Amino acid sequence: MKGKLILLAGAAVGYVLGTRAGRQRYEELKGKADALWHDPKVQQKVTDAQEAMRARAPELQEKLTDAASRASGKVRSTMHRNDGDGDASDIPEVSAHGRNGHYPQSG
């Protein structure tokens, strides 16, 4: 259902942006979209979705926090494993432009 709504919304936006039907057609579509948005059934679905997200937010937050913590631990572990003496000064500075400040050569 969510995918269909997104597809419908995308098609409507594409039509409005791509058409040359003029202001009248735009106002007609805008009125229909406004009426649809304010439909009690749609608003009930919006409310249900908001409540479901509020109910799951603590669980999702915990999962994201755990995942971030594990990723951070893996990075630290890799850095310590690759750096024998624990000194980060011998790790080369690498920017988005590569080690020497130039864009990397492909090939």
Side-chain angles (χ1 to χ4, degrees):
M1 180 70 178
K2 179 182 171 186
K4 289 180 184 179
L5 288 175
I6 292 172
L7 178 64
L8 180 62
V13 169
Y15 178 78
V16 169
L17 294 177
T19 188
R20 295 181 184 255
R23 187 73 176 176
Q24 182 181 3
R25 184 69 178 148
Y26 168 76
E27 291 296 336
E28 181 183 332
L29 288 172
K30 183 179 171 188
K32 287 181 180 181
D34 191 49
L36 178 66
W37 179 252
H38 290 95
D39 183 285
K41 291 179 183 177
V42 172
Q43 287 303 307
Q44 182 61 47
K45 293 291 184 185
V46 169
T47 301
D48 292 347
Q50 288 174 335
E51 289 173 1
M53 290 308 299
R54 280 191 195 104
R56 292 201 61 206
E59 174 188 342
L60 294 174
Q61 180 183 10
E62 184 178 331
K63 286 182 179 181
L64 289 173
T65 301
D66 290 346
S69 179
R70 284 192 307 272
S72 175
K74 286 183 181 181
V75 169
R76 283 191 192 103
S77 167
T78 301
M79 292 298 290
H80 289 295
R81 185 174 61 236
N82 291 338
D83 186 25
D85 62 359
D87 182 18
S89 64
D90 60 342
I91 298 175
E93 183 75 27
V94 179
S95 70
H97 300 291
R99 292 176 190 240
N100 60 1
H102 294 79
Y103 288 103
Q105 297 289 326
S106 62

